[in-house]
Amino acid sequence: TLSVGPNVSTFLLPIIAFPEEIRSTFHGLSSASAKVGAMVGSMLFPIVSEHAGVTAVMGTQAVVCLLGAAFGQFLIEDHEDEEGYTTDGFSDTSSDCS
């Protein structure tokens, strides 16, 4: 089954986003960034909740999630390997099957 959550974004996205030569280094940086983000979020939750309320905390989290999704969708380039396959697994060199 597909586990939706930090595992997909932490482990799958670096494989898709980074070229082979630097993949392991940036895989570690992505993992560390995710852990720092989780720590900052859990430290700020009680502070923001006390001053602005739970609704403001949830709204802020929703905005951050949407910004992250937009960033991932529109700013991460698709890499093509030597055989013409892109990271989505489909070849750009295939012929029309009609």
Side-chain angles (χ1 to χ4, degrees):
T1 64
L2 178 64
S3 174
V4 177
N7 290 333
V8 172
S9 60
T10 302
F11 299 114
L12 183 62
L13 191 57
I15 293 170
I16 294 172
F18 303 129
E20 228 175 87
E21 301 81 32
I22 59 170
R23 188 171 292 158
S24 63
T25 299
F26 282 89
H27 198 293
L29 289 173
S30 293
S31 180
S33 297
K35 288 165 180 55
V36 168
M39 180 187 68
V40 169
S42 50
M43 289 175 65
L44 289 178
F45 184 92
I47 297 168
V48 176
S49 178
E50 183 179 315
H51 294 293
V54 175
T55 305
V57 172
M58 296 301 162
T60 303
Q61 289 176 342
V63 169
V64 168
C65 286
L66 290 173
L67 288 174
F71 177 80
Q73 181 67 31
F74 298 114
L75 298 178
I76 295 177
E77 296 180 20
D78 192 23
H79 296 284
E80 188 174 303
D81 65 10
E82 300 83 29
E83 298 168 356
Y85 287 93
T86 59
T87 53
D88 62 4
F90 297 104
S91 175
D92 290 340
T93 58
S94 62
S95 61
D96 190 1
C97 295
S98 56

